[in-house]
């Protein structure tokens, strides 16, 4: 038996890649340990920003000092030279992420029967598609993950059933460009998949990970509204609220389209991603982003200061000074924090069902964070009493 530790960097897809590696090694009889005790370290890397790649390199270099062997997988592993110069005990597994578990298993070997006794896990990420064919001008993801392709709907539904049988209460359908999901052989769209997966016996909640605005349409919204388990939360990347910047980003929508597609979604909680300091973004353009975030009623923004990525159309462009990016990022984060607090305050006195995902903390169906006590993995009915920086402080209502 080999002991291993797992670390992922980046998005939900990276999490689900790392989870698949972990599952495979556990199935082969190996054992997961804290990074201080494990012989082998798995680092599922990210290269979507310069900072994410630097952190991935640091994680691999650090693990090389404390582990016998380190395997680097994920998006960064496919970026040529990204992990060059690291010690000899670091192996970079490039190639398609779907094949990484099998390759890793071949390198480590089987130890015997799987050991089960893992702590209860609450939320499962089920990947339904991989890759992206959009080629936004700044984005390295299509280069490292390849073109968009979907899993067969039946395979996704089987994975949802398997996760529920293992005790997961919530399933998050995830992908690199989720809305591109389409099983053409079985004629199943993302909306159809939501309806089918949402009916799985034992499932409490079905959630979508990030989805592009051009894929948010009446069919999908109706599927979410008409599926009782589907959560009314959408994470819709905006990236910029300025039409000139959006054109330069090759995002294929403008600010008016972004707003129009979100019209009538007052019963949804909306969150988003924004890049600040994109080449050519001046103060007025950034102001339009701040304004649009407010007009779209986005309650939470993940802010990414722009960094040029190798091989992309904007590789050679980076004209906004670092200090300006930092200052804009701080202003946008402040505005996001205020929007979150406003939204949470509006819930005081209300009751919601909270899925406890770690001690003292959980999430409502719309992905609002709550600070509330209850058994991990259970859903409790709670009343919102006050608001803190971390979420709504609530009290469990006895049934
Ligand atoms: S949609 Fe654009 S930003 Fe998103 S993964 Fe594809 S190319 Fe990158």
């Amino acid at each position: 038996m080999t002991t291993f530790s797992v670390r992922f960097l980046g998005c939900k897809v990276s999490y689900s890649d790392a989870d698949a590696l972990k599952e495979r090694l556990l199935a082969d009889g190996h054992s997961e340990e804290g990074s201080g005790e494990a012989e082998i370290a798995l680092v599922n890397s990210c290269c979507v920003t310069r900072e994410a790649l630097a952190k991935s390199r640091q994680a691999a270099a650090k693990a090389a000092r404390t582990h016998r062997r380190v395997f680097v997988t994920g998006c960064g592993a496919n970026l040529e030279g990204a992990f060059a110069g690291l010690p000899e005990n670091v192996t970079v597994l490039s190639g398609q992420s779907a094949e990484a578990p099998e390759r890793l298993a071949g390198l480590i070997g089987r130890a015997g029967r799987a050991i089960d006794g893992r702590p209860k896990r609450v939320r499962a990420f089920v990947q339904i598609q991989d890759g992206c064919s959009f080629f936004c001008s700044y984005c390295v993801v299509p280069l490292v993950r390849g073109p968009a392709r979907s899993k067969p709907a039946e395979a996704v539904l089987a994975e949802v059933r398997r996760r529920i049988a293992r005790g997961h209460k919530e399933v998050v359908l995830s992908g690199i460009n989720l809305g591109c999901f389409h099983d053409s052989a079985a004629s199943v769209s993302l909306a159809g998949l939501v309806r089918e997966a949402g009916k799985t016996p034992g499932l409490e909640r079905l959630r979508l990970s990030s989805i592009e605005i051009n894929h948010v349409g009446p069919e999908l919204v109706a599927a979410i509204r008409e599926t009782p388990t589907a959560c009314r939360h959408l994470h819709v990347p905006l990236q910029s609220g300025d039409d000139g910047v959006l054109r330069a980003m090759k995002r294929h929508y403008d600010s008016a389209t972004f707003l129009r597609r979100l019209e009538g979604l007052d019963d949804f909680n909306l969150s988003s991603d924004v890049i600040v300091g994109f080449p050519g973004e001046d103060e007025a353009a950034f102001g339009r982003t701040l304004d649009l975030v407010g007009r779209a009623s986005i309650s939470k923004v993940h802010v990414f200061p722009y960094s040029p990525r190798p091989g992309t159309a904007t590789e050679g462009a980076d004209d906004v000074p670092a200090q300006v990016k930092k200052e804009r990022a701080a202003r946008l984060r402040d505005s996001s924090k205020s929007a979150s607090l406003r939204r949470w305050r509006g819930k005081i006195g209300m009751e919601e069902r909270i899925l406890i995902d770690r001690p003292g903390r959980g999430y409502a169906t719309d992905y609002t964070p709550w600070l509330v006590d209850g058994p991990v993995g259970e859903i409790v009915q709670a009343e919102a009493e006050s608001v803190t920086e971390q979420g709504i402080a609530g009290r469990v209502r006895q049934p």
Side-chain angles (χ1 to χ4, degrees):
M1 181 187 74
T2 302
T3 54
F4 66 93
S5 65
V6 190
R7 168 135 193 229
F8 85 97
L9 295 101
C11 66
K12 307 259 166 65
V13 173
S14 178
Y15 176 90
S16 101
D17 284 351
D19 204 39
L21 296 168
K22 173 158 71 178
E23 287 239 325
R24 179 58 210 249
L25 295 191
L26 290 170
D28 283 353
H30 303 297
S31 165
E32 186 184 5
E33 304 290 341
S35 67
E37 293 104 62
E39 299 160 70
I40 284 179
L42 311 180
V43 177
N44 206 68
S45 61
C46 174
C47 61
V48 76
T49 60
R50 191 163 46 201
E51 191 188 357
L53 184 59
K55 281 188 182 162
S56 300
R57 260 190 78 93
Q58 275 164 17
K62 187 170 170 217
R65 292 195 290 275
T66 50
H67 294 70
R68 184 164 55 76
R69 235 177 137 182
V70 179
F71 293 96
V72 177
T73 52
C75 291
N78 287 317
L79 197 63
E80 212 183 317
F83 293 88
L86 289 182
E88 275 184 6
N89 61 341
V90 177
T91 304
V92 178
L93 291 182
S94 58
Q96 295 206 358
S97 64
E99 289 160 12
E102 199 55 40
R103 292 180 59 208
L104 185 67
L107 290 166
I108 296 179
R110 273 186 75 86
R113 285 194 328 133
I115 309 157
D116 212 348
R118 282 164 279 155
K120 192 168 191 173
R121 289 164 67 204
V122 178
R123 187 172 293 117
F125 290 85
V126 173
Q127 202 178 334
I128 67 170
Q129 72 82 237
D130 202 349
C132 179
S133 307
F134 278 20
F135 286 97
C136 299
S137 63
Y138 55 85
C139 184
V140 74
V141 171
L143 305 176
V144 294
R145 304 226 39 139
R149 64 250 181 222
S150 300
K151 286 194 177 162
E154 198 36 64
V156 173
L157 296 173
E159 180 64 6
V160 172
R161 289 193 292 272
R162 193 178 75 84
R163 293 304 192 131
I164 294 164
R166 287 190 47 198
H168 292 101
K169 289 261 190 339
E170 180 174 305
V171 166
V172 184
L173 300 180
S174 64
I176 293 289
N177 193 333
L178 195 72
C180 288
F181 171 85
H182 193 256
D183 178 345
S184 35
S187 287
V188 181
S189 63
L190 179 59
L193 189 68
V194 166
R195 289 183 191 275
E196 280 309 306
K199 284 193 257 180
T200 312
L203 176 70
E204 293 280 353
R205 289 181 179 178
L206 184 70
R207 195 179 293 289
L208 298 183
S209 69
S210 178
I211 184 157
E212 292 293 326
I213 193 72
N214 288 334
H215 295 137
V216 177
E219 201 198 342
L220 180 62
V221 170
I224 295 172
R225 284 211 174 106
E226 290 161 21
T227 302
T229 51
C231 296
R232 295 185 187 188
H233 164 237
L234 289 177
H235 183 84
V236 194
L238 167 64
Q239 307 305 14
S240 172
D242 178 77
D243 290 341
V245 172
L246 285 171
R247 264 194 307 281
M249 288 177 163
K250 297 209 181 324
R251 291 290 290 166
H252 304 293
Y253 56 83
D254 58 16
S255 53
T257 306
F258 190 87
L259 284 173
R260 193 181 64 248
R261 284 185 168 260
L262 296 178
E263 262 169 25
L265 296 187
D266 303 342
D267 51 336
F268 281 65
N269 179 25
L270 303 174
S271 53
S272 192
D273 298 326
V274 168
I275 296 170
V276 293
F278 188 79
E281 183 194 69
D282 57 15
E283 185 55 31
F286 175 67
R288 284 188 273 280
T289 299
L290 271 179
D291 179 59
L292 196 82
V293 165
R295 286 202 288 149
S297 300
I298 290 166
S299 71
K300 166 90 185 161
V301 182
H302 299 270
V303 184
F304 299 90
Y306 169 80
S307 55
R309 308 310 301 131
T312 63
T314 61
E315 175 179 6
D318 191 12
D319 60 5
V320 178
Q323 188 52 36
V324 175
K325 287 181 195 165
K326 204 170 158 192
E327 183 259 337
R328 286 182 190 159
R331 280 161 66 196
L332 190 51
R333 287 190 184 115
D334 279 352
S335 140
S336 167
K337 171 119 311 189
S338 303
S340 295
L341 292 173
R342 251 194 324 276
R343 189 165 190 284
W344 300 346
R345 280 191 199 109
K347 287 175 180 271
I348 288 179
M350 291 183 185
E351 287 190 22
E352 289 191 340
R353 296 179 77 234
I354 311 302
L355 175 57
I356 306 293
D357 66 351
R358 69 195 100 152
R361 196 178 164 102
Y363 285 86
T365 58
D366 68 356
Y367 214 50
T368 298
W370 281 61
L371 309 175
V372 63
D373 285 322
V376 172
E378 297 302 320
I379 291 179
V380 298
Q381 184 81 14
E383 182 185 336
E385 292 190 315
S386 59
V387 162
T388 74
E389 294 263 302
Q390 285 73 43
I392 294 175
R395 184 167 53 97
V396 176
R397 307 284 298 177
Q398 297 310 327

